[in-house]
Amino acid sequence: MPRFHFDYHEAERVTRDEFGQEIQSLAAAHRMAMIALGEAVRDFTFAARPGTIAIVVRNDGGVLLTVSATVEQTESW
C-alpha cells in the first residue's frame, strides 16, 4: 500500500509529516487532506485568526497535491 505524507503549511510555519500513513489510493489521500483542511479552518475560525492554510500531500517522489484555504475577516459590523 502506498505511503503518503501530509505536510501542514500556515504562514511562516511548516510542519512536515515525517512518518506518513499507508493509504489505499491518492483519491483517499485527497479526501483525508480535505478533512484535515476543514478542521484547520475551523480552528482558525474559533481563534478569529485570518490567514492561509495548506495541506501538501507527498510521497517519496515529491508533491502529489495541495489543498488550501484562505480565512479572511472584515470589520463591517
Side-chain angles (χ1 to χ4, degrees), residues 55-76:
I55 307 293
V56 176
V57 180
R58 61 184 171 81
N59 63 12
D60 292 335
V63 173
L64 300 170
L65 65 94
T66 301
V67 296
S68 65
T70 300
V71 178
E72 297 177 351
Q73 64 185 30
T74 59
E75 302 292 330
S76 62

Side-chain angles (χ1 to χ4, degrees), residues 13 15 19 22 35 37 48-49 52 58-59 70-71 76:
R13 190 179 95 195
T15 304
F19 300 106
E22 288 186 349
I35 291 167
L37 180 65
R49 290 177 33 208
T52 300
R58 61 184 171 81
N59 63 12
T70 300
V71 178
S76 62

Side-chain angles (χ1 to χ4, degrees), residues 3-77:
R3 181 170 294 274
F4 297 95
H5 301 267
F6 297 82
D7 300 335
Y8 178 86
H9 295 247
E10 172 196 334
E12 302 297 320
R13 190 179 95 195
V14 175
T15 304
R16 287 182 55 88
D17 176 4
E18 298 299 333
F19 300 106
Q21 298 178 45
E22 288 186 349
I23 301 173
Q24 185 175 11
S25 66
L26 181 57
H30 180 258
R31 284 190 299 276
M32 289 182 68
M34 292 296 290
I35 291 167
L37 180 65
E39 292 170 354
V41 167
R42 183 192 63 220
D43 293 345
F44 263 56
T45 302
F46 286 142
R49 290 177 33 208
T52 300
I53 311 156
I55 307 293
V56 176
V57 180
R58 61 184 171 81
N59 63 12
D60 292 335
V63 173
L64 300 170
L65 65 94
T66 301
V67 296
S68 65
T70 300
V71 178
E72 297 177 351
Q73 64 185 30
T74 59
E75 302 292 330
S76 62
W77 30 316

